[in-house]
Amino acid sequence: MGFDPVSGVGLATLWLVGGCCFFTASALPLCLNLEAPVPIKYPLEFCSDFGYRTGCCDSQLDKQLNIRFNSMNITSQICSEYIKEILCAQCDAFAAELHGPHDTKSSPNLCNSNASSVHESKGYCSDVWDACRNVSITDSPFSPHLLNSAPSHPRLSANNDTLSAQWPSRRDFCAAFAPPASDPYNASFCFDGGPYQFQSEKQDTAPKGICLQKVELGAYINMIPHPDGSNRVFLASQSGKVWLATLPEKGSSNPITLNESAPYLDISNLVVDNEEFGFLALAFHPNFLQNGRLFVSFNCDKTIWADCAGKCSCTSDVGCDPSQVGNAALKISSKEVRRIFTLELPYVSHHAGQILFGPKDAYLYFMLGDGGGTGDPFNFAQNNKSLLGKILRLDVDNMPTTEEIANLGLWGNYTIPDTNPFKNERLARPEIWALGFRNPWRCSFDSLKPLYFYCADVGQETYEEVNLVTKGGNYGWRVFEGPNLYNPPASPGGNTTESSILPIFPILGYYHNQVDPKQGASAIIGGYVSRSEQDPCIYGRYLYADLYGSVMWAGLEFPPGSGNYSATTINFTCSASSHFPCEFVGNSTIPKFQYIFSWGQDNDRNLYILSNGGIFKVISPAACDFTCKKSLPSQFQPNSAPVPTRSSTAISSHASRSASLSILSSNTSFMLGLIIWAWLM
């Protein structure tokens, strides 16, 4: 399956670049460890019969599955064939999807209809029951104890490990291990004895256009919905002020209301506001309503604020000579506000700086650019000893001791989640979740499918991209810019060859000359997957735009769950019913954004565009005379995002702690700072 650099990516792709063949990893699907599947380099022995070429097994896992199979002591040849198939489903490229939503890690969801089964009977699940119900299976993958919530009615015989002893009937067994029909997305993923294949479906037609309503005149860099679920949002300016604002009622054309003279938070005296500098992001702790912890990320200047200091990111350990970038020696001074993280940057751009809490794990994700400099000259993004050009994943609830910080070489007061991909690797920083980024500008989790983590990454010379971020994924920069090999003008930090990595290429993107051939340079502004009722025709599509505001795209994964994406440019204009009259570019119908800074979202998942020309809300397409004949999915539920939780003891014990993170931009006195304070409503 090939790759269209504009519209999408194939699942298993063989690339030919400069006469050299190499394989790539896939953005989605996912393995059970939530990492991306890769080409299987060596022939499998135990799971060799199933044709897995790109998937989740290596020789070690294949051997482990064989050992487990032999330990089951299955006496029936027919039953043993089914169990072998089921164990080897862990090798499937869609292993994570096939094993959900029950998340047993032992058995995939079993198909149970003629249409999806490769076996001639009532369905694969029924076949398994018929073949194995009276067969003893030691350490059975179908034990009710392995389910997250064991049913109340199984027999649970302690002395009999047959299916019929543990499950009352075929119906009960298949109700537990077949995917639920009430969930169409997960129901489409079921195992029928071989590698998963998508059923052919008819793709939705592209939306006719997006209708916008101008709801605020001010320029803001961030919009975050209030954690209490109300119609209030927090708006942040680049200068360092945050306001609590009230949105108009549903269906109203009224504007956003806020008291500009009374900001919720004002740190403008600490923020450097100049072109690429300023207030970058804010995020609320998942338990904000209990602990009041608000996280903010911004640039600061040590000549204004003495505590704007950081640990150097340019050292000999990462192949960087500080004398070449002008870093100054710094020290961290004690302060009432506890620091979580300090990092000194080599250049004055590509800071990224967004912070997000994971919707499933409640850890803090921190997006870091490559630190600046044309072409990432020190190759930070590909160097796992450096934190630059990475997405970090931090536990900010469990604080380490001073001894732990020193022994582990941590950059501040945080701990490393056990499931971070490089936690136990000696030659990599344990904070890293994913690598190979230039300047990730606006990432978001899909509120309906929280494993889908979208990140837009600003390109260097030719290409802007959207990536689906997975655990341990390498997104190519600076070996690649988008789908193309990149040749840096200077390499004092050395090079990484294309044959030494498994790059995950972008799912979506565009070339600079697709926006405006005369203007040239562009910058992508990442958005969200639309999950609101405002416009059924963009529901389920990922929206993103260009900095200059002349083009927007809607990306669609089709079939759902496949990892195959296509994008269409989408018309957009401003409604005549806007409270604030819209200005337009020349004689066109394109609203005059000037520059688009970011996208926003409220608690009903309505989408907003934050620009230099004001805030624009996406509303019903009918308000701009765009037709939409599509209906919302039958299972649609507003504001249905999962609530992330972890140990309440660990979280509450640190609820009163404040912290700060600062990062230096070194060849001037500027620094990127992430300050974490405990603020209460």
Side-chain angles (χ1 to χ4, degrees):
M1 186 177 296
F3 173 82
D4 180 341
V6 176
S7 63
V9 63
L11 295 181
T13 310
L14 174 65
W15 279 75
L16 178 64
V17 179
C20 176
C21 297
F22 61 95
F23 282 97
T24 70
S26 302
L28 277 181
L30 295 174
C31 302
L32 286 181
N33 62 1
L34 301 186
E35 295 183 7
V38 297
I40 297 175
K41 296 181 180 180
Y42 307 103
L44 303 178
E45 295 184 8
F46 178 65
C47 296
S48 60
D49 299 335
F50 308 112
Y52 294 115
R53 296 180 180 178
T54 296
C56 301
C57 274
D58 55 18
S59 58
Q60 182 179 0
L61 178 57
D62 184 65
K63 184 179 296 184
Q64 292 172 354
L65 293 174
N66 191 9
I67 292 172
R68 183 181 179 193
F69 175 76
N70 290 332
S71 70
M72 290 180 172
N73 300 315
I74 304 172
T75 58
S76 165
Q77 178 66 30
I78 296 177
C79 178
S80 69
E81 291 177 358
Y82 280 103
I83 298 302
K84 180 177 181 179
E85 292 173 351
I86 289 167
L87 290 178
C88 288
Q90 295 183 45
C91 299
D92 197 286
F94 291 89
E97 299 283 9
L98 289 172
H99 286 73
H102 300 305
D103 198 26
T104 68
K105 306 302 183 190
S106 292
S107 171
N109 292 324
L110 306 180
C111 297
N112 204 35
S113 68
N114 288 324
S116 59
S117 178
V118 297
H119 294 267
E120 296 294 333
S121 71
K122 298 178 181 179
Y124 187 77
C125 185
S126 296
D127 291 350
V128 172
W129 172 267
D130 291 341
C132 299
R133 62 179 174 176
N134 295 319
V135 178
S136 175
I137 305 174
T138 304
D139 188 25
S140 171
F142 304 119
S143 170
H145 292 299
L146 295 176
L147 295 175
N148 283 344
S149 54
S152 58
H153 53 268
R155 297 173 183 175
L156 293 176
S157 172
N159 301 315
N160 193 327
D161 48 15
T162 64
L163 298 186
S164 59
Q166 295 186 329
W167 298 93
S169 66
R170 174 197 288 125
R171 180 177 181 179
D172 293 302
F173 173 72
C174 289
F177 290 98
S182 59
D183 185 347
Y185 174 73
N186 285 304
S188 68
F189 286 97
C190 64
F191 182 70
D192 64 357
Y196 181 78
Q197 295 181 347
F198 283 91
Q199 303 295 318
S200 59
E201 299 179 38
K202 182 179 179 181
Q203 185 170 349
D204 289 339
T205 57
K208 300 297 183 181
I210 292 178
C211 186
L212 302 172
Q213 183 180 68
K214 193 170 184 177
V215 293
E216 170 59 33
L217 296 175
Y220 302 92
I221 199 78
N222 262 177
M223 172 189 281
I224 304 295
H226 198 297
D228 66 1
S230 68
N231 67 333
R232 297 183 296 171
V233 296
F234 290 87
L235 296 173
S237 69
Q238 190 174 356
S239 64
K241 294 182 180 181
V242 179
W243 290 269
L244 179 58
T246 302
L247 302 175
E249 296 297 326
K250 180 179 177 181
S252 170
S253 61
N254 292 331
I256 293 175
T257 58
L258 68 133
N259 185 351
E260 190 171 354
S261 63
Y264 176 84
L265 171 67
D266 185 356
I267 54 172
S268 56
N269 60 318
L270 304 178
V271 173
V272 175
D273 177 13
N274 181 13
E275 296 181 358
E276 290 195 44
F277 301 118
F279 190 101
L280 299 174
L282 75 157
F284 292 95
H285 191 280
N287 283 1
F288 173 79
L289 296 181
Q290 287 74 44
N291 63 30
R293 299 178 73 190
L294 168 64
F295 294 61
V296 296
S297 170
F298 62 91
N299 291 104
C300 54
D301 182 347
K302 66 180 181 181
T303 64
I304 299 175
W305 182 30
D307 287 320
C308 188
K311 183 178 175 181
C312 185
S313 64
C314 177
T315 65
S316 59
D317 290 342
V318 295
C320 182
D321 182 357
S323 66
Q324 296 187 39
V325 294
N327 279 321
L330 296 170
K331 66 178 181 179
I332 301 173
S333 58
S334 61
K335 187 177 175 66
E336 180 183 354
V337 175
R338 177 185 293 271
R339 292 182 181 274
I340 281 187
F341 194 101
T342 59
L343 178 66
E344 183 176 311
L345 290 175
Y347 298 102
V348 296
S349 60
H350 305 175
H351 299 164
Q354 187 183 6
I355 47 177
L356 293 171
F357 278 96
K360 288 188 68 114
D361 56 27
Y363 292 123
L364 184 69
Y365 290 77
F366 180 33
M367 276 52 81
L368 275 175
D370 64 13
T374 301
D376 186 14
F378 288 96
N379 199 25
F380 289 129
Q382 286 299 319
N383 188 339
N384 277 351
K385 291 184 179 180
S386 171
L387 298 182
L388 299 179
K390 312 297 193 301
I391 292 178
L392 312 183
R393 182 172 179 254
L394 310 175
D395 183 343
V396 294
D397 291 316
N398 296 292
M399 296 296 160
T401 64
T402 303
E403 184 178 2
E404 287 174 328
I405 293 175
N407 291 341
L408 298 175
L410 301 180
W411 298 65
N413 291 285
Y414 58 87
T415 51
I416 306 297
D418 289 337
T419 49
N420 273 20
F422 303 106
K423 180 176 183 179
N424 298 315
E425 291 196 16
R426 184 175 60 87
L427 298 179
R429 292 302 312 171
E431 298 91 342
I432 297 172
W433 181 252
L435 64 144
F437 299 94
R438 181 177 178 270
N439 190 26
W441 189 251
R442 296 328 191 205
C443 305
S444 63
F445 291 92
D446 184 342
S447 60
L448 184 64
K449 304 175 184 178
L451 288 180
Y452 281 58
F453 184 18
Y454 294 84
C455 266
D457 196 17
V458 178
Q460 177 72 55
E461 297 172 352
T462 60
Y463 196 80
E464 306 295 310
E465 63 188 77
V466 179
N467 297 296
L468 264 181
V469 178
T470 56
K471 177 183 178 181
N474 187 334
Y475 294 87
W477 175 253
R478 71 172 187 165
V479 180
F480 293 89
E481 182 184 4
N484 309 306
L485 280 172
Y486 177 76
N487 295 312
S491 302
N495 287 304
T496 300
T497 62
E498 65 268 24
S499 61
S500 67
I501 66 172
L502 277 175
I504 300 178
F505 285 136
I507 56 166
L508 300 163
Y510 59 94
Y511 288 95
H512 289 183
N513 59 14
Q514 290 179 276
V515 177
D516 187 343
K518 295 180 180 179
Q519 188 165 274
S522 303
I524 192 170
I525 308 297
Y528 294 87
V529 175
S530 176
R531 294 295 181 191
S532 81
E533 60 184 341
Q534 63 195 136
D535 185 347
C537 282
I538 61 172
Y539 183 89
R541 295 176 184 264
Y542 175 78
L543 302 184
Y544 57 105
D546 186 75
L547 169 71
Y548 299 118
S550 59
V551 187
M552 292 185 192
W553 292 265
L556 180 67
E557 183 190 32
F558 187 82
S562 67
N564 290 317
Y565 280 77
S566 61
T568 55
T569 56
I570 188 167
N571 294 322
F572 58 94
T573 191
C574 195
S575 168
S577 64
S578 294
H579 179 85
F580 299 109
C582 293
E583 298 181 65
F584 297 93
V585 178
N587 295 322
S588 73
T589 58
I590 297 176
K592 193 174 182 179
F593 299 118
Q594 298 182 50
Y595 297 104
I596 294 179
F597 298 138
S598 187
W599 292 73
Q601 180 173 250
D602 63 25
N603 276 312
D604 287 330
R605 308 303 177 205
N606 296 313
L607 298 183
Y608 299 78
I609 295 172
L610 281 61
S611 76
N612 201 42
I615 298 179
F616 297 78
K617 180 182 179 181
V618 178
I619 60 173
S620 169
C624 293
D625 296 325
F626 292 128
T627 58
C628 177
K629 298 180 180 180
K630 184 180 176 181
S631 300
L632 290 169
S634 57
Q635 73 274 20
F636 170 78
Q637 292 182 349
N639 198 13
S640 58
V643 178
T645 58
R646 281 203 315 278
S647 169
S648 58
T649 302
I651 293 175
S652 62
S653 66
H654 298 287
S656 62
R657 293 194 181 187
S658 300
S660 72
L661 174 147
S662 37
I663 300 171
L664 171 68
S665 172
S666 62
N667 58 350
T668 70
S669 61
F670 292 128
M671 309 175 90
L672 174 65
L674 174 59
I675 309 301
I676 305 169
W677 279 320
W679 292 88
L680 299 176
M681 290 298 296

